């Protein structure tokens, strides 16, 4: 089996490759990167005018399998990921049962091997049952194949437990991913605290709820000397705290998500529960700070936080609706539209934050295009304009606030282990 990707603009951050050339794939492996590659007997992908990059890696998603398959399962979730250009996704442990032991890791790996359209890497829980009381068996999770540990969806309330998680994680060389939220500051809050929450008569969540927990985790990382990764940062001061910590040498990395650089809490007006997410959508000054953090390297990763929910969990009064939005199929177009076309970032910088940086954080030998390695590649058109249509999503859930949103940037091909999973924008 020989496939040649012809005349695409290849961007590979690891090797520094950034030019129009061909890529030859043989038996799933990158056989060569060369100009005027021989196409005899090969399947040819005409990539003229398109960008060819390492397969995108999502460091943070929710596949809902096992336990919440009415929202999403491994098959539909990975179909949606592939459609969005992701070839690898790391899924959070707030499933039922929780990913806090070897059996659940194995279940996900086995099911993904049978039914998955892309590579799936489970993230294990920091605490057993996500209860915040006892550490899960971190070594067991790592040896089974977990690529990180997180209680995502909930904070680790006890500083002592978080300290222990960091110390154990360093023994097993696995990254701690922290969902930063001080519940005693959130209280009954359901959206960002500010003008909009006031006029809507809803209880607000102050930025400080996220920032105080970021500060604590930075201190614990500095104290133990162990790296920490902060999930979905959304506030100006939170980003400044991380920037300052990095300057002092704290081994912190962090991610944001497309909704935090694309939307403000104005999207919640009209009690739009599709815009209800945790952390909540913030104010324009926070959006600007997220973009600044992405630009100056404070924010390492763009992750989706793909969080599918059934429509019955969203068609509720704002306070009762579930937090989260689906994200796989809009992430790259939103990054291209709101970061690249608005002149904030180069495509190279965006690709770095969606390929090699998440690979490094999770310890995956992926995120690059290297001869001899299995071939995960994404091909996109950076200029194709279209309107987001949630009814076309592959995800089982359609909870996106971006329906009808105009974007510029479309995934054309997703290639996983040399197999074309998405061809000309269509799932195979
Ligand atoms: O909005 C969110 N949804 N934030 C989280 O932290 C969890 C996620 C979920 O699991 O639905
Ligand atoms: Zn979270």
């Amino acid at each position: 089996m020989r496939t040649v990707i012809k005349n695409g603009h290849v961007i590979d951050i690891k090797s520094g490759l950034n030019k129009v050339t061909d890529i030859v794939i043989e038996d799933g492996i990158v056989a060569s990167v060369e100009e005027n590659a021989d196409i005899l007997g090969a399947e040819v992908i005409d990539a003229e005018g398109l960008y060819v990059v390492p397969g995108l890696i999502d460091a943070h998603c929710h596949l809902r399998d096992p336990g919440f398959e009415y929202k999403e399962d491994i098959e539909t979730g990975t179909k949606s990921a592939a459609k969005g250009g992701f070839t690898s996704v790391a899924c959070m442990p707030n499933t039922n049962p929780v990913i806090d032991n070897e059996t659940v890791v194995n279940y996900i790996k086995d099911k993904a091997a049978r039914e998955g359209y892309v590579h799936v890497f489970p993230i294990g829980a920091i605490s057993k049952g996500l209860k915040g009381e006892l550490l899960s068996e971190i070594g067991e999770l790592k040896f089974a194949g977990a690529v990180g540990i997180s209680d995502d969806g909930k904070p680790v309330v006890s500083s002592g437990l978080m300290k222990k998680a960091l110390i154990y994680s360093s023994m097993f060389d696995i990254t701690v991913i922290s969902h930063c939220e001080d519940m005693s500051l959130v209280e009954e809050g359901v959206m960002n605290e500010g003008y909009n929450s006031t006029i809507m008569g809803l209880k607000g969540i102050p930025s400080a709820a996220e920032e105080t927990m970021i500060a604590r985790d930075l201190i614990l990382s500095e104290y133990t000397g162990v790296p920490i990764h902060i999930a979905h940062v959304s506030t100006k001061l939170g980003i400044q705290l991380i920037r300052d910590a990095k300057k002092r040498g704290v081994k912190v990395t962090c991610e944001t998500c497309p909704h935090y650089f694309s939307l403000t809490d104005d999207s919640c007006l009209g009690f739009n529960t599709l815009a209800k997410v945790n952390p909540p959508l913030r104010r324009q000054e926070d959006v600007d700070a997220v973009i600044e953090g992405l630009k100056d390297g404070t924010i390492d990763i763009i992750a989706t936080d793909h969080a599918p929910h059934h429509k019955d969990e969203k068609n509720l009064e704002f306070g009762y609706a579930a937090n989260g939005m689906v994200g796989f199929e809009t992430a790259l177009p939103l990054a291209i539209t709101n970061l690249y076309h608005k002149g904030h970032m180069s495509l190279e910088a965006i690709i770095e934050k969606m390929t090699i940086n998440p690979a490094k954080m999770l310890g995956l030998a992926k995120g690059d295009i290297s001869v001899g390695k299995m071939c995960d590649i994404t091909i996109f058109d950076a200029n194709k304009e279209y309107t987001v249509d949630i009814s076309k999503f592959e995800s089982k859930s359609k909870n996106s606030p971006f329906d009808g949103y105009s974007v510029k940037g479309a995934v054309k091909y997703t290639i996983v282990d040399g197999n074309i999973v998405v061809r000309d924008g269509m799932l195979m």
Side-chain angles (χ1 to χ4, degrees):
M1 260 301 285
R2 189 178 151 89
T3 308
V4 179
I5 305 170
K6 265 269 165 233
N7 294 323
H9 184 140
V10 181
I11 301 175
D12 177 48
I13 305 303
K14 193 172 178 196
S15 65
L17 193 65
N18 193 349
K19 64 171 184 179
V20 174
T21 186
D22 300 343
I23 294 177
V24 181
I25 308 162
E26 269 169 18
D27 300 325
I29 289 167
V30 180
S32 67
V33 180
E34 57 180 316
E35 277 160 57
N36 304 313
D38 185 4
I39 58 167
L40 201 69
E43 160 158 29
V44 177
I45 296 174
D46 177 9
E48 185 149 356
L50 305 178
Y51 287 91
V52 178
V53 301
L56 305 183
I57 299 175
D58 187 12
H60 184 151
C61 73
H62 300 268
L63 295 180
R64 307 298 192 208
D65 192 348
F68 304 101
E69 294 87 346
Y70 67 96
K71 300 176 195 249
E72 192 83 285
D73 58 39
I74 286 175
E75 183 183 342
T76 58
T78 57
K79 277 184 176 172
S80 175
K83 191 95 182 288
F86 293 93
T87 57
S88 294
V89 300
C91 57
M92 286 295 172
N94 58 344
T95 49
N96 186 17
V98 169
I99 314 177
D100 61 6
N101 62 78
E102 176 179 22
T103 310
V104 187
V105 174
N106 286 334
Y107 162 84
I108 291 170
K109 284 190 349 189
D110 292 348
K111 194 164 181 193
R114 283 197 315 274
E115 301 175 11
Y117 283 68
V118 306
H119 304 291
V120 175
F121 295 98
I123 293 171
I126 291 174
S127 68
K128 283 194 177 132
L130 303 176
K131 290 199 171 80
E133 291 162 4
L134 298 168
L135 280 187
S136 46
E137 300 291 342
I138 296 170
E140 175 185 311
L141 287 165
K142 164 82 186 192
F143 295 128
V147 296
I149 50 169
S150 181
D151 274 4
D152 182 59
K154 288 178 169 186
V156 174
V157 173
S158 159
S159 305
L161 193 73
M162 190 53 132
K163 181 195 92 175
K164 288 194 186 88
L166 286 165
I167 291 169
Y168 275 85
S169 77
S170 73
M171 290 171 8
F172 296 108
D173 194 21
I174 188 168
T175 305
V176 175
I177 301 170
S178 180
H179 168 113
C180 291
E181 187 179 16
D182 183 329
M183 302 310 291
S184 68
L185 291 172
V186 172
E187 293 190 283
E188 307 297 309
V190 294
M191 68 175 286
N192 183 56
E193 178 181 87
Y195 178 78
N196 285 335
S197 66
T198 305
I199 61 167
M200 289 166 73
L202 293 175
K203 291 239 172 78
I205 303 171
S207 296
E210 182 174 340
E211 294 151 355
T212 51
M213 209 56 138
I214 291 176
R216 181 204 72 175
D217 284 348
L218 293 170
I219 291 167
L220 292 176
S221 169
E222 189 163 13
Y223 166 54
T224 57
V226 178
I228 196 160
H229 178 78
I230 310 292
H232 43 52
V233 297
S234 72
T235 81
K236 184 177 176 184
L237 178 57
I239 293 161
Q240 187 58 42
L241 290 166
I242 294 168
R243 183 180 289 116
D244 293 344
K246 282 190 169 191
K247 280 199 191 119
R248 324 192 272 284
V250 180
K251 294 177 209 145
V252 56
T253 54
C254 72
E255 74 196 27
T256 193
C257 314
H259 37 281
Y260 300 119
F261 60 70
S262 301
L263 300 175
T264 65
D265 65 357
D266 288 356
S267 294
C268 299
L269 292 170
F271 301 92
N272 177 14
T273 60
L274 293 172
K276 187 179 178 192
V277 62
N278 187 21
L281 299 175
R282 307 281 186 187
R283 298 303 301 151
Q284 188 60 45
E285 65 179 55
D286 298 298
V287 171
D288 294 342
V290 167
I291 294 170
E292 197 47 47
L294 285 162
K295 281 166 75 167
D296 75 4
T298 302
I299 302 175
D300 307 271
I301 291 171
I302 298 171
T304 66
D305 199 0
H306 177 82
H309 290 293
H310 192 274
K311 62 179 181 339
D312 293 351
E313 297 165 312
K314 282 291 192 181
N315 287 338
L316 294 171
E317 282 171 63
F318 200 92
Y320 293 106
N323 277 305
M325 48 185 75
V326 290
F328 286 142
E329 295 170 67
T330 46
L332 184 66
L334 287 170
I336 295 174
T337 305
N338 291 328
L339 299 175
Y340 172 64
H341 285 300
K342 290 195 178 156
H344 298 303
M345 278 167 77
S346 65
L347 283 177
E348 291 83 345
I350 292 169
I351 296 311
E352 182 175 27
K353 293 180 201 294
M354 298 181 82
T355 60
I356 195 76
N357 285 1
K360 279 188 202 154
M361 189 274 288
L362 298 167
L364 307 178
K366 290 187 171 289
D368 58 334
I369 299 175
S370 299
V371 172
K373 260 170 113 165
M374 290 306 287
C375 178
D376 289 346
I377 276 181
T378 299
I379 304 178
F380 63 90
D381 182 339
N383 294 305
K384 170 136 173 101
E385 288 189 62
Y386 68 99
T387 303
V388 174
D389 178 355
I390 54 167
S391 71
K392 299 222 169 80
F393 283 178
E394 292 292 339
S395 175
K396 206 177 273 188
S397 294
K398 316 290 174 197
N399 53 306
S400 168
F402 293 104
D403 194 34
Y405 195 95
S406 292
V407 288
K408 207 170 171 188
V411 172
K412 287 284 183 187
Y413 291 82
T414 307
I415 303 174
V416 181
D417 284 344
N419 299 310
I420 301 173
V421 179
V422 170
R423 184 193 294 273
D424 215 9
M426 301 292 288
L427 197 80
M428 299 303 288

